[in-house]
Each structure stands twice: as C-alpha cells, then as structure tokens.
Amino acid sequence: IRSQQDINDDLFDSLEEIMISGDLGVDFSLKLIEDVRKKVDELGIKKSENIVRFIKSAMVKTLNSNCQSSVSDPGALLKSEIKPYVLMIVGVNGTGKTTSIGKLAAMYKKTGKTVLLSAADTFRAAALEQLEIWAERAQVEIIRNQPGADPASVAFDSLKAAISRNVDVLIVDTAGRLHTKSNLMEELKKIRRVLAKLLLEAPHETLLIMDATTGQNGLNQARQFAQAVGVTGIVLTKLDGTARGGIVFSIVKELGIPVKFIGIGEKLEDLEAFNANDFVEALFA
Amino acid sequence: ELTDKLDLIFKNLKGHGKLSEKNVADSLKEVRRVLLEADVNYKVAKVFINAVQQRALGQKVLRSVTPGQQIVKIIHDELTNIMGKSEAPVTISGSPSIIMLTGLQGSGKTTLAGKLGLFFAKRGHKPVLAAADTYRPAAMRQLEVVGQKVSIPVVLDPAKKALDICQNAIKYCRKNGHDLVIFDTAGRLHIDKQMMDELLQIKKKTKPQEILYVADGMTGQDAVNTAREFLNWLDFDGVVLTKMDGDARGGAALSVRMVTDKPIKFISTGEKFDALEKFHPQRMASRILG
Ligand SMILES: Nc1nc2c(ncn2[C@@H]2O[C@H](COP(=O)(O)OP(=O)(O)OP(=O)(O)O)[C@@H](O)[C@H]2O)c(=O)[nH]1
Ligand SMILES: Nc1nc2c(ncn2[C@@H]2O[C@H](COP(=O)(O)OP(=O)(O)OP(=O)(O)O)[C@@H](O)[C@H]2O)c(=O)[nH]1
Ligand SMILES: [Mg+2]
Ligand SMILES: [Mg+2]
C-alpha cells in the first residue's frame, strides 16, 4: 500500500516537471510547490484532482494579482478622457512588435476609435514598409520618415500629428533592441522623454512585447525595460506554437506587470485579451 | 559561482579518497538546477546529469583542485564534448551550392542570409540571396535592403511562390556565374503542416547541400519541440543560434544538440552583417554554467 505521502510526492514531481517545462523557472516552481504543499497539508486536501485544482487556482491568483480583472478589457486600456492615448511598443528583436501593432490598431478601430501609427523604427531594413502594410490592412493612418531618421523625432512628429488630427489612439513602433545594449536603451528613454515633453502623461501605456518561446532571460528583459522606461503591460506573442510562455509568472510576481494581450497568429485578428484561467489550463493541457 | 556552491557541499571531504556517491548526487542536484536556470530542457538535463554521474563516481579526489572544481571540470568537459563533437563546416559543393535557412518566426533568418552571404563572399565565393518568404509584409523588400548593404544580388518576385523563386535563383546563378545561393524562407511553426510541407517541397526539388535550422538563443524549454519537428521534416544539416549578444545563458544549445545530434555551425552576435562567429563549444559550456 503506497502512503499518501508517496502518492503526493509523485504528483508534485510531475507538477514540477510540467511547470519547469512550461518555462515557469526553477525558483518560481519550487516556491509555488512548497507553498501549495503546506496549504494542502493544512487544509487536509487528499485527492490528486483537488490538489491539482488547488495549484491551478494558486497560479491564476498569481497572474491576476496585479490586474483589475481576469480578462484584460481593451476598453479599459483607453480612458476616454485622455486623447490621444499614447501607447509605446517595446521589446527585444523579433518578438512581434510591429505585427502586434497592426493587430492592436485593428482592435481599437473596431471599437470605433481613430488610430494613428508612428513608424519610429528607423533602423531595421524595411521596418517602415512593414508597418505601412499593417496600417493599410488595419485601415489606419501612419506617420513615417526616412530610414535612418532620428526615432525620437519621428515619435515627436507623430504625437504632434495625433494631437492636431484629434486622434483617439497613437501607437508608436520602436526598433527591437536587446536590454543589455545601454546605448539602445538610452535611445528608448529619449523617445519616451520626447513624448512626455509634448504631452505630459505620454506614453500612457508602454507595452513590452514578449515571445512565448523565450526562457528565463525573459525576466531580465522585463526588469531592464521596466527600469529604463516603465512597462505597464505585456503582450505575449506566438502562443499558437507549443511554447507556454510560463516566464510571465515570475514577471507578474516580481515586477507586478500584468499580461494584457496574447498573440495567437500572424493575421490581423490574431490578438486576444489575456485570460489567466485559459492560460493556466493550457499549461496543463 | 558554481564551483563555490559545490565546494560548500564538499566541505567535509579531505584531499584523499574517492568522490562518494552521496557527494556526487548532492552536487549534481545543484548542477541540474544551474542547467535548468540556463534554459536547458528538463528531460535533456536529466539525461545529461545521469551521464555525468557515471563519469564522476569513483573518481579519485585530486589534490590540486577542490572537489567542487573537479566536478565542474567534469561537467564542463562533458558539455564541451557533447556540443562540439563531429564539428562540420558548411558544405559548399554544387553549382550553385545551396544553403537553405529555416526556423520559427523572428529567429533571425533574413538577417542571417546577409551575414552568410558576406561570410562566403569574403572567402572568394559569389553568392546570391533568394527572397523566398512570400508571406511576411515587406519580407522581400527587407532582403533587398539586406542585399544592398552587403553588396550581394537578391532574386525576388512578389508574384511567385517560394519554390519558383528558389528555382529562379538557381537559374540566375548558373546564368551569371554565381557559385552559391542562400534561400531565405518565411518563419513558420513546426506544427503548421502546410508550411512545413512547403519547406519539404523546396528541399526535394532543389536538393540543398546545406539546410540550417536557425534558432533564437534565448529560447527556453520549447527548443527541443521545435528542433525535433524541423529535424523530422527536413533532416537539417546544422544549427545557427542567434541573438547571442544578449545575456541569455543559451541552454537551448545543449538541448538542440542532444535532441537532434546536429552540430551548431555559427552563432549570430548582433544586428550588423559582420556579427557572425563560428561556434565554440567550450565558450558555450562556460556560458551555460554561468
Ligand atoms: N505564429 C505567430 N507569429 C507571430 C506572432 N506575432 C508575430 N509573429 C511573427 O513573428 C515575426 C516577427 O514579427 P515582427 O512584428 O516583425 O517582430 P518585431 O518585434 O517587430 O521585430 P523587430 O522589429 O525586428 O524587432 C513575423 O514573422 C511575424 O509574422 C504570433 O502571435 N504568432
Ligand atoms: N541583437 C541581435 N539581433 C538580431 C540578431 N539576428 C537578427 N537580429 C534581429 O532580430 C530581428 C529579427 O530578424 P529577422 O532577420 O527579421 O528574423 P527572421 O527569422 O527573418 O523573421 P521572420 O522572417 O519573420 O521569421 C531583427 O530586428 C534583426 O535585426 C542577432 O544576432 N543579434
Ligand atoms: Mg518591428
Ligand atoms: Mg525573415
């Protein structure tokens, strides 16, 4: 006859494997399992299904701990008295920033808002052309300059245009950059300062776009971007793949930054509001 | 510092005798944690630790180093061996020779096409780049700009399918005396059967000498799933790890190597076109161990 202890040991071993394999990280996983084991003993939870249900709800709690509700409300992202509402989009190379901007633009347009895009990635080959195509697809206007122009001045011109055109939402695209490159992080700070100079509270949102396949380095990314320019939310992309994006647990817990949206494909409509319950269920699927 | 952590575990071990089973087991627990924090895949770490355990057990404790240093050296050597064995340079042998770049979305393929073009141009070849990404907005324009920056011709056609563009590029090479063509393909998911089949058809019809799987160096646990699927579909020849100029520990390097047994041929270390290095297994081992 196996003891309850043995059965639980096996269960928690397999839970550890699920969590670590989902990129939740060793520290976070072991700490959560330790807390859950204590609670489970305290509350006398015996059946495996109940233990699993308990751990899932603990995870959902963690993810929602810095959010108003478990489903990000895009409308809440736009406090209607603020006009233009300025979103700055940041992140390391190739995570899906430009694509996500197209999706966000389409989403806001659907809610009846007027949207303007700012092509402030003046560095990467054909970045301007790429965003232009997304503007076309989302049927919104775009402010751009020449490749090699100063990104801060493009952002500035875009905000000026947004104000004079009485636009509801301005979304600023920036070049991908590694958080370890201090000159590039300085450039990002400058873009932010320039926006704030023109409009006191701008940017009202700074969304960090993260690739769901990213491992533990994602925590460093979030820390550095948060420290440099402040991050108000995360967009987790490429969740249509097999990666689980578990690094967000540590980011939410340590930095208090909520996940606001998820990217689930390469088309205009492939953006959803983040739902912690669905996210945790997918981890165990 | 791993050596210090392990020395604490060994602090009662004197300079003679053998590394005991308990000592080794405890220290390997710590090493496993370090590997997982470095993004080595969960199952890969287990297999690796078991292999090292055999090596470490019964080894005489050396006088010249601490037991912690001794274990770390065993780990380091084993990592280096696994990642460095059967090193193979890129095969250049057709007319033209063909290098096909494949991988997930955003891993750095288009940029790498320019880098590889420059790399081989410097070594006396006459490369051409083929813009076979017919999906991503402005992808062909992106490769066109890349080609201009490294002074390498780009074959593209917004009206054609990927396979046609690749075949046109081959014809262009033969017509104009170019000995190498690099296919830039669209990023795609390993679970997208239609897209993976597109790559398979390009492989079957053009028979590239070299197929490279291009993976983001900061990939976490999922690295094995994608690498394994790309291997099943394409039996690629080598791997390129990108964005290694960041501070990701790069455990994906060990995971991909152990699961596919294919060599890592290059690492990409920046956005500029000269930021391409040959893979050094020893340096990668040190980086993973932190
Ligand atoms: N499958 C999938 N692919 C995505 C998703 N989001 C973006 N992509 C793809 O990821 C690749 C990179 O997207 P970009 O929008 O160029 O990324 P970026 O962050 O702007 O890149 P840089 O500006 O170069 O740093 C493209 O091939 C996109 O189609 C997603 O949610 N799912
Ligand atoms: N820091 C750094 N950035 C890189 C490296 N390689 C590529 N990048 C950047 O990563 C981003 C994506 O590169 P791309 O070449 O567009 O990636 P891709 O694989 O062609 O993307 P898709 O075609 O959408 O799948 C760009 O911003 C590149 O400049 C590298 O080694 N280091
Ligand atoms: Mg971009
Ligand atoms: Mg590309």
Side-chain angles (χ1 to χ4, degrees):
Chain A
I1 300 275
R2 302 196 68 210
S3 71
Q4 187 62 39
Q5 182 70 13
D6 286 344
I7 294 173
N8 280 2
D9 281 350
D10 282 353
L11 176 64
F12 282 107
D13 279 350
S14 64
L15 285 173
E16 178 190 301
E17 177 166 358
I18 289 172
M19 292 166 78
I20 293 179
S21 302
D23 284 314
L24 271 70
V26 179
D27 281 347
F28 182 89
S29 303
L30 296 186
K31 179 86 179 61
L32 184 65
I33 287 179
E34 183 187 338
D35 292 346
V36 167
R37 288 199 86 145
K38 280 209 193 84
K39 268 294 180 190
V40 157
D41 287 340
E42 258 176 51
L43 301 173
I45 302 178
K46 296 261 171 12
K47 291 173 123 208
S48 305
E49 322 88 78
N50 292 335
I51 293 178
V52 173
R53 197 168 304 141
F54 188 84
I55 205 165
K56 283 183 183 176
S57 78
M59 287 176 157
V60 170
K61 249 202 209 89
T62 303
L63 291 174
N64 287 332
S65 59
N66 294 295
C67 323
Q68 308 298 38
S69 66
S70 62
V71 176
S72 246
D73 167 21
L77 209 60
L78 288 182
K79 309 191 176 56
S80 51
E81 326 86 55
I82 300 177
K83 196 167 169 153
Y85 198 81
V86 181
L87 291 91
M88 186 168 75
I89 307 301
V90 305
V92 303
N93 308 73
T95 55
K97 296 177 289 301
T98 305
T99 307
S100 299
I101 290 172
K103 298 173 182 177
L104 286 165
M107 182 190 71
Y108 289 128
K109 186 129 197 277
K110 239 183 172 174
T111 67
K113 303 283 180 191
T114 54
V115 183
L116 182 64
L117 302 188
S118 171
D121 176 357
T122 55
F123 170 74
R124 208 210 64 216
L128 273 45
E129 288 91 328
Q130 184 187 7
L131 190 64
E132 276 183 317
I133 292 173
W134 282 110
E136 168 81 13
R137 288 179 180 181
Q139 293 278 290
V140 300
E141 309 225 337
I142 179 169
I143 301 290
R144 56 157 288 178
N145 201 322
Q146 296 303 329
D150 172 29
S153 66
V154 177
F156 185 85
D157 293 343
S158 306
L159 184 49
K160 272 187 94 202
I163 293 169
S164 75
R165 294 182 200 182
N166 205 24
V167 153
D168 294 315
V169 187
L170 172 69
I171 312 180
V172 180
D173 192 9
T174 63
R177 68 202 66 222
L178 293 184
H179 50 292
T180 48
K181 311 239 159 130
S182 51
N183 58 328
L184 298 182
M185 296 306 280
E186 282 307 311
E187 177 184 86
L188 205 58
K189 289 183 193 172
K190 180 168 176 228
I191 295 174
R192 185 198 171 82
R193 272 200 306 276
V194 148
L195 291 171
K197 250 203 189 134
L198 195 50
L199 185 64
L200 202 52
E201 300 280 291
H204 307 92
E205 290 276 353
T206 299
L207 295 180
L208 175 63
I209 315 297
M210 294 192 61
D211 189 324
T213 64
T214 303
Q216 297 309 300
N217 194 249
L219 181 56
N220 281 14
Q221 290 173 25
R223 282 183 189 134
Q224 295 305 320
F225 276 93
Q227 187 174 76
V229 292
V231 173
T232 59
I234 292 183
V235 178
L236 190 60
T237 63
K238 309 180 196 173
L239 275 174
D240 45 320
T242 51
R244 294 286 147 82
I247 192 61
V248 298
F249 283 96
S250 303
I251 295 173
V252 175
K253 182 172 179 200
E254 179 180 313
L255 302 172
I257 302 171
V259 181
K260 297 209 167 180
F261 297 101
I262 59 172
I264 51 163
E266 301 185 77
K267 302 197 297 301
L268 201 64
E269 58 271 20
D270 293 333
L271 185 78
E272 287 179 359
F274 179 70
N275 180 307
N277 277 302
D278 294 347
F279 189 75
V280 170
E281 283 303 323
L283 184 66
F284 284 81
Chain B
E1 163 69 72
L2 182 58
T3 313
D4 303 327
K5 288 184 196 165
L6 298 188
D7 278 335
L8 275 177
I9 293 174
F10 285 113
K11 67 181 188 302
N12 293 317
L13 195 67
K14 300 290 188 297
H16 42 225
K18 297 227 179 83
L19 294 174
S20 78
E21 212 167 306
K22 172 113 182 40
N23 287 324
V24 169
D26 288 348
S27 62
L28 290 187
K29 252 206 189 112
E30 187 59 32
V31 173
R32 181 175 158 261
R33 182 182 188 119
V34 166
L35 294 178
L36 292 176
E37 286 169 348
D39 288 324
V40 174
N41 178 267
Y42 190 89
K43 292 203 169 91
V44 166
K46 247 193 197 158
V47 171
F48 176 81
I49 293 292
N50 286 339
V52 170
Q53 190 149 21
Q54 298 316 311
R55 270 257 204 119
L57 280 181
Q59 275 218 0
K60 292 239 319 286
V61 177
L62 302 176
R63 283 178 189 279
S64 52
V65 295
T66 66
Q69 286 171 333
Q70 191 169 348
I71 293 268
V72 171
K73 173 131 195 346
I74 294 171
I75 306 277
H76 195 276
D77 289 352
E78 188 65 7
L79 280 176
T80 303
N81 275 336
I82 291 173
M83 291 192 294
K85 63 183 166 137
S86 60
E87 266 195 38
V90 167
T91 306
I92 305 280
S93 72
S95 80
S97 193
I98 299 170
I99 298 174
M100 179 176 170
L101 302 182
T102 72
L104 294 176
Q105 290 90 345
S107 62
K109 300 173 291 299
T110 303
T111 311
L112 181 63
K115 294 181 182 198
L116 285 175
L118 189 62
F119 179 87
F120 286 108
K122 284 187 187 157
R123 282 158 180 76
H125 294 281
K126 296 191 65 203
V128 161
L129 308 182
D133 178 351
T134 59
Y135 304 93
R136 171 173 155 152
M140 294 194 184
R141 175 67 188 146
Q142 183 186 1
L143 192 66
E144 190 171 45
V145 174
V146 165
Q148 285 164 3
K149 296 200 173 161
V150 294
S151 308
I152 292 177
V154 176
V155 171
L156 58 85
D157 191 337
K160 290 273 185 303
K161 297 234 158 230
L163 177 58
D164 298 320
I165 294 165
C166 292
Q167 288 171 326
N168 287 344
I170 292 170
K171 291 195 191 105
Y172 179 93
C173 284
R174 291 184 181 143
K175 188 154 178 272
N176 297 285
H178 291 274
D179 64 342
L180 170 65
V181 60
I182 300 168
F183 297 163
D184 179 24
T185 67
R188 67 204 63 214
L189 294 180
H190 52 302
I191 52 174
D192 186 332
K193 294 212 166 75
Q194 231 176 336
M195 289 298 279
M196 292 307 291
D197 190 61
E198 176 186 82
L199 289 180
L200 184 60
Q201 295 314 313
I202 295 174
K203 172 183 179 177
K204 283 184 176 170
K205 302 267 165 54
T206 66
K207 302 199 175 35
Q209 281 73 17
E210 187 83 25
I211 301 178
L212 294 176
Y213 174 62
V214 183
D216 193 318
M218 51 184 118
T219 308
Q221 297 289 314
D222 198 53
V224 300
N225 301 327
T226 54
R228 191 183 290 124
E229 267 312 289
F230 270 78
L231 185 73
N232 289 342
W233 278 92
L234 305 172
D235 190 25
F236 54 79
D237 301 290
V239 179
V240 179
L241 276 190
T242 63
K243 307 178 200 170
M244 294 303 281
D245 43 321
D247 58 355
R249 296 267 291 279
L254 178 65
S255 304
V256 172
R257 181 72 215 236
M258 283 193 54
V259 149
T260 66
D261 205 24
K262 297 292 183 182
I264 298 171
K265 303 211 173 183
F266 292 101
I267 63 167
S268 173
T269 55
E271 293 189 78
K272 301 218 165 66
F273 294 101
D274 55 2
L276 186 71
E277 296 175 13
K278 304 209 82 231
F279 177 68
H280 291 287
Q282 255 192 9
R283 281 188 217 162
M284 194 71 229
S286 303
R287 179 171 179 153
I288 289 175
L289 291 179

